[in-house]
Structures are given as C-alpha cells and as structure tokens.
C-alpha cells in the first residue's frame, strides 16, 4: 500500500474527520491535492490538536489512531515516514498537559514510542 492509497482509504473510512481536516488544510495550503498527501496528514494532526484544545472527547479519534497504527505496521518506509513525521511529530503541538493527557491515554503505544523518540518526552 502506498501513502496515496492510505490517504484515499483514510478519506473513505473517516469522512467526518476528513471534512474537518480538509477545511484546516485549505486554510494553510490553499487546496486539496493528493500529490501532497504528506502535508494533509500534518493537517490531520493540526485538526486533532484543535479538538484537543477544545476538549473534544478523545474517543472520537480512537479509531483514527488505530488506523494509523495498523498502517504503520503494514507500511513500507514511505508510509512509516509519513505517519511518523507528518502526523505523529505534529500531534500534541502546543497542547497543555491537562488537555493532551486524555488523548495520550488512548494513543497507541507504537505511536507513543515514535512521539517520544522525536520529542524526547511525553506531551504537555
């Protein structure tokens, strides 16, 4: 599976999250272009961060996190890089500990490891 295929599968599987992410992505990048799906996954992290800041129920993203964990396990190096760099490294950005903690609790251990490897700490 390629990064583009993962992107398309995500869009089909999570239409509500995709719509929210598209709106955020357009604000920063101007349009939706599958050729730049790496940046879209960065926008996904930003969308979730915005919901974290608003204290939206983290269970809304439990399946999203699991999807990304499973694709990381199945993926080639490009897919792993997209999930690690575009998504995981940008998640929890500038989110206070008390708002990040409920999301961190349900974040898969595999992705937690990627986050800690990059940031050298847990969020918050």
């Amino acid at each position: 599976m390629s990064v583009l295929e993962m992107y398309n599968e995500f869009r089909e599987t999570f239409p509500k999250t995709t719509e929210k992410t598209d709106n955020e992505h357009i604000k920063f990048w101007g349009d939706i272009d599958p050729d730049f799906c790496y940046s879209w996954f960065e926008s996904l992290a930003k969308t979730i961060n915005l919901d974290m800041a608003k204290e939206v129920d983290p269970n809304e993203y439990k399946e999203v996190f699991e999807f990304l964990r499973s694709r990381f396990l199945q993926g080639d190096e490009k897919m792993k890089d997209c999930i690690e760099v575009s998504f995981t490294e940008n998640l929890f950005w500038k989110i206070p500990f008390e708002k990040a903690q409920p999301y961190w609790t349900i974040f898969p251990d595999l992705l937690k490891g990627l986050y800690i490897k990059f940031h050298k700490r847990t969020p918050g």
Side-chain angles (χ1 to χ4, degrees), residues 16-124:
K16 180 180 170 187
T17 302
T18 294
E19 182 179 351
K20 288 166 67 171
T21 302
D22 284 353
N23 290 335
E24 275 310 307
H25 187 81
I26 289 167
K27 286 178 193 175
F28 189 79
W29 297 98
D31 62 357
I32 303 298
D33 186 343
D35 288 336
F36 299 102
C37 53
Y38 276 76
S39 61
W40 189 88
F41 282 99
E42 181 180 333
S43 296
L44 172 62
K46 182 177 180 182
T47 298
I48 295 171
N49 289 343
L50 290 169
D51 278 352
M52 254 187 254
K54 295 180 212 168
E55 300 182 83
V56 170
D57 183 354
N59 289 312
E60 184 173 320
Y61 293 105
K62 192 169 187 160
E63 289 181 27
V64 167
F65 295 157
E66 179 55 31
F67 174 91
L68 293 169
R69 184 199 69 80
S70 74
R71 295 315 172 274
F72 186 89
L73 288 171
Q74 299 167 5
D76 63 12
E77 289 308 309
K78 288 183 181 182
M79 188 181 308
K80 288 178 180 181
D81 187 58
C82 177
I83 293 168
E84 182 173 359
V85 176
S86 295
F87 178 74
T88 305
E89 291 178 7
N90 289 292
L91 196 63
F92 303 106
W93 182 251
K94 296 186 178 182
I95 302 297
F97 175 78
E98 63 277 358
K99 292 184 179 187
Q101 187 59 34
Y103 284 76
W104 184 254
T105 300
I106 65 163
F107 203 49
D109 288 342
L110 172 68
L111 301 180
K112 284 179 181 176
L114 299 174
Y115 183 92
I116 292 169
K117 181 177 113 183
F118 179 76
H119 291 283
K120 310 290 188 239
R121 62 175 176 76
T122 59

